[in-house]
Amino acid sequence: MTEKPRPLRADAARNRARVLQVAYETFAEEGASVPIDEIARRAGVGAGTVYRHFPTKESLFQAIVADRLRQIVEWTRARAATDPGEGLYAFLFKMAEQGATDLGLTEAFAGVGFDLAAALPDAEREFTGMMTEILAQAQRAGTVRPDLDPADIKTLIVGLQAMRRFRGDGELMRRIYPVIRAGLAAPGSAETSAREPLNTEQQGP
């Protein structure tokens, strides 16, 4: 019988939470290349403390990415539940903005030195499943063309994130949003490219 892991002591739990917070901020700003010793220094703990919780930098990075994907999945499903036809557009806008604020997640999603499906198969399946769901919902609602598939959506996201980060322009998505809507809209639908981007400032990732 496998013995259940003991719960962390209060101080160990605080250290782990601190490491995760600093690692998230560091990876988001600088990408996954930052050494684990530097993360420990910024968190105000010894490197040994970090290694006790995360044996490798890869395991720490994976924990951060898995948590971010979970937050995005939960936010998107909640958003799509209120308006299935708009869920995909809200998701695309949210993911594009990640290109400006979260370099680590952007790198992971684009496969830069990180195989998402191999490293986090459960999180990747959940994320892809969510994309499939909201795409199908939008297609049934008649707001998105029927010949798109989840691979098309992922490709679009990678491109939008790269563009958003490269330009560093907070107004970029608002200018290009009508173009995206016009390209994704179902032929002959009542979709209009003049619609404003959906509010993605709601509580979420």
Side-chain angles (χ1 to χ4, degrees), residues 31-135:
S33 62
V34 181
I36 202 167
D37 288 358
E38 176 60 16
I39 292 172
R41 186 191 68 78
R42 296 181 188 185
V45 301
T49 298
V50 179
Y51 286 116
R52 275 195 294 275
H53 296 292
F54 304 99
T56 65
K57 186 177 75 171
E58 288 71 25
S59 64
L60 175 57
F61 187 64
Q62 287 174 19
I64 297 296
V65 172
D67 185 63
R68 294 297 291 142
L69 290 178
R70 177 189 58 77
Q71 292 179 45
I72 291 169
V73 166
E74 291 177 355
W75 182 90
T76 304
R77 282 183 168 150
R79 186 67 182 82
T82 63
D83 191 344
E86 290 295 295
L88 180 68
Y89 292 112
F91 169 68
L92 287 173
F93 196 86
K94 171 69 77 174
M95 291 301 293
E97 288 303 290
Q98 294 290 322
T101 61
D102 194 337
L103 178 58
L105 181 62
T106 300
E107 289 179 344
F109 198 73
V112 178
F114 186 81
D115 187 336
L116 183 60
L120 297 168
D122 292 341
E124 195 275 338
R125 276 195 297 270
E126 182 75 3
F127 189 86
T128 300
M130 176 272 293
M131 281 199 301
T132 303
E133 290 170 17
I134 63 170
L135 173 60

Side-chain angles (χ1 to χ4, degrees), residues 150-165:
D152 297 324
I153 301 304
K154 182 174 181 180
T155 301
L156 179 59
I157 289 169
V158 171
L160 287 171
Q161 288 183 330
M163 180 174 60
R164 178 67 176 85
R165 192 162 193 89

Side-chain angles (χ1 to χ4, degrees), residues 3-22:
E3 185 178 343
K4 292 183 179 180
R6 296 178 182 177
L8 293 175
R9 300 191 316 269
D11 59 339
R14 284 193 299 271
N15 283 340
R16 186 179 189 278
R18 175 64 179 160
V19 168
L20 282 171
Q21 180 61 34
V22 170

